[in-house]
Every structure is written in structure tokens, then in C-alpha cells.
Amino acid sequence: MNRFKTAVLLTTLTLIMVALGSAIGGRGGMYFAFFIACAMNLFSYWFSDKIVLRMYGAQEITEAENPAFYGMIRRLAVQGGLPMPRVYIIPSESPNAFATGRNPEHAAVAATEGILRILTPEEMEGVMAHELSHVANRDILISSIAATIAGAISMLANMVQWAAIFGGRRDDEEGGGWGGLALAIIAPIAAMLIQLAVSRSREYLADESGARLCGKPRSLASALRKLDQASRALPMYEARPATAHMFIVNPLSAGMLMQLFSTHPPMEERIARLEQMGH
């Protein structure tokens, strides 16, 4: 169901982009905006792992430095049929973790010092299984596709708005006038909401896949409950909204994002689904 939902959301983004392309008078502007968005997101797809790891001061570790944590990830990677990812520790007391990398062969997983302190080994195994599931499910690629289309929609909307300001098309032309301008205002907002919905859908899928990978859905549910409480008490102040979707729980304080604009599903719903799997 989550895979189907993702496909529907991406299709909706594409239809919005086509409608905006029509509003500016043809395919030329649509292709131009799509090319620029692809170029921007291709750079992000190839280099985002290095950028985000450096942004949070993550330090790569070896098995000799932390044999328990490193060995846990190795076991999960073998169970999931994945190459061994690079392993990082983030010097932050706020408990959280994320995965990055453009494909399973170039993946990395990172955990904060805080999460390693507060979770039991079984709970930590559930968290890292969730992160490795993001790698296995190609969620970085899917997020890049959604960001590419949403970026193209935003550029097209700007073109329509400028055309309206300078009288690019007459009101009697198809898609022009007030209708095109209204579409240009509404479309970027709809695209952003759909992109966030894609992120929430992939979180549900990673929860399910991670629970199956480690075989301990209740441990992952318990970990999420602890992380939700701890991250509220100690948010990651160095976190940025642009990278919030990468973490297993929202690293930003609750007051910073409304639920509608959240990159993560409601925690109560995630926990309930996992506990139902446990039964």
C-alpha cells in the first residue's frame, strides 16, 4: 500500500507539472524547468551524503572502535542482502539516526552519541534495521525524484507568475490569465505537500521493512517511543529543515513545524502499526 501510495503521489506531481507547462504556452518552458531541476537534484543525489555527514560533524568509525555497534550493522546488512555501509557517529546528545547514499553500494548510516546511550541493544537493532531498509528501498532515489519534479513545478510557477506580471499571455488564451496565475500560486504549495506525503509514506514502509529485517517490531516500537520523548526534551538544535526528513524521528522541536508540513508520520500511528505487527 505504501509503494502504491508513493506511485500515486509521484504521478500527481507529474500531472501538476504538465498543467503548469500548458499554462506557460507549450512544452518548451516545461522542459527547460525540468532540465534545471534535474541538474540541481542530480548534484544533490551524488553528493548529498558527503554534504549532510559533514554538516553534522559525523565521524566514520571502524569495527575496532565500536565492535558491538559495527557488528550489529554488519549482521543486519548480511540478513538484508546489502553491502556493508559506512558507519558514522554524530557528536550530539539528541538521540537520532539516519541513512544516506545514492544506492546500497554507496550507503552510510549514522547514529548520534545520544541514541547509543538511551536505547537497549534490541531497540538499537530495530532503529538500524529501519535505516538499512531506507537503503534497500532506494528511498534516497525516490526522494530525489520527488524533489526534482517539485523543483520543476516551482520554477514553472515562477515563469507563469512573471508572465502574468508582464502580460505574457492574454486572458482568452487557454490556461492564461487569472486561471494560470491561480494555478501558479497553488501548484508549488500542492507540490510541497505531496513531496512531504511521499516522505511520510517512505517512513511507514521503512518501519515495516525494518521490523521484518530484525524480526523485532516491538523493539522498534519501543525505540520510537523513547526517541519521541527524548527528542522533544532535547531537540537537535543544529538540525536543518532541509535534512529533517532523513532522520528516524523529526530532529526539530515540535513547535517549529505544523503537523501538515511534517516530514514524518504521527508517532502514535507508527508505534501502533509496529505493535500490531508484533501481535
Side-chain angles (χ1 to χ4, degrees), residues 119-174:
L119 296 188
T120 67
E122 291 77 15
E123 292 168 341
M124 196 68 210
E125 187 174 351
V127 167
M128 300 320 296
H130 170 102
E131 297 306 329
L132 287 174
S133 292
H134 275 309
V135 175
N137 295 335
R138 305 274 181 160
D139 285 336
I140 305 302
L141 174 61
I142 291 170
S143 297
S144 297
I145 293 172
T148 297
I149 301 176
I153 288 171
S154 179
M155 291 181 187
L156 286 169
N158 286 333
M159 293 172 67
V160 173
Q161 290 170 19
W162 282 109
I165 292 172
F166 293 104
R169 300 188 70 187
R170 298 191 309 272
D171 285 356
D172 59 350
E173 290 184 280
E174 183 182 355

Side-chain angles (χ1 to χ4, degrees), residues 34-247:
F34 188 67
F35 173 78
I36 297 299
C38 281
M40 293 169 58
N41 285 280
L42 185 63
F43 176 85
S44 176
Y45 176 64
W46 278 86
F47 299 106
S48 63
D49 56 338
K50 298 179 180 64
I51 294 172
V52 73
L53 289 167
R54 189 177 296 117
M55 180 187 301
Y56 291 106
Q59 302 295 319
E60 187 170 6
I61 64 168
T62 64
E63 190 166 11
E65 292 172 313
N66 195 328
F69 182 49
Y70 196 99
M72 172 196 298
I73 296 171
R74 183 189 296 279
R75 289 194 307 274
L76 290 169
V78 170
Q79 288 172 213
L82 296 169
M84 180 63 188
R86 290 170 290 139
V87 183
Y88 289 81
I89 300 293
I90 300 172
S92 172
E93 288 303 314
S94 181
N96 228 315
F98 68 82
T100 186
R102 62 184 183 274
N103 55 42
E105 289 72 29
H106 298 85
V109 293
T112 64
E113 293 175 345
I115 196 173
L116 292 172
R117 288 195 179 97
I118 71 169
L119 296 188
T120 67
E122 291 77 15
E123 292 168 341
M124 196 68 210
E125 187 174 351
V127 167
M128 300 320 296
H130 170 102
E131 297 306 329
L132 287 174
S133 292
H134 275 309
V135 175
N137 295 335
R138 305 274 181 160
D139 285 336
I140 305 302
L141 174 61
I142 291 170
S143 297
S144 297
I145 293 172
T148 297
I149 301 176
I153 288 171
S154 179
M155 291 181 187
L156 286 169
N158 286 333
M159 293 172 67
V160 173
Q161 290 170 19
W162 282 109
I165 292 172
F166 293 104
R169 300 188 70 187
R170 298 191 309 272
D171 285 356
D172 59 350
E173 290 184 280
E174 183 182 355
W178 292 109
L181 183 59
L183 180 62
I185 295 172
I186 296 171
I189 300 173
M192 180 186 65
L193 294 177
I194 293 172
Q195 187 180 356
L196 293 173
V198 169
S199 175
R200 291 192 291 269
S201 179
R202 305 313 290 183
E203 285 299 314
Y204 279 133
L205 182 59
D207 282 343
E208 179 184 348
S209 301
R212 296 187 188 282
L213 176 58
C214 69
K216 302 171 183 176
R218 290 181 179 177
S219 293
L220 178 53
S222 175
L224 291 178
R225 188 176 288 107
K226 281 186 180 180
L227 293 176
D228 184 45
Q229 296 171 352
S231 62
R232 291 175 187 271
L234 187 62
M236 186 178 285
Y237 293 106
E238 65 271 27
R240 299 290 180 266
T243 57
H245 68 281
M246 300 180 63
F247 290 86

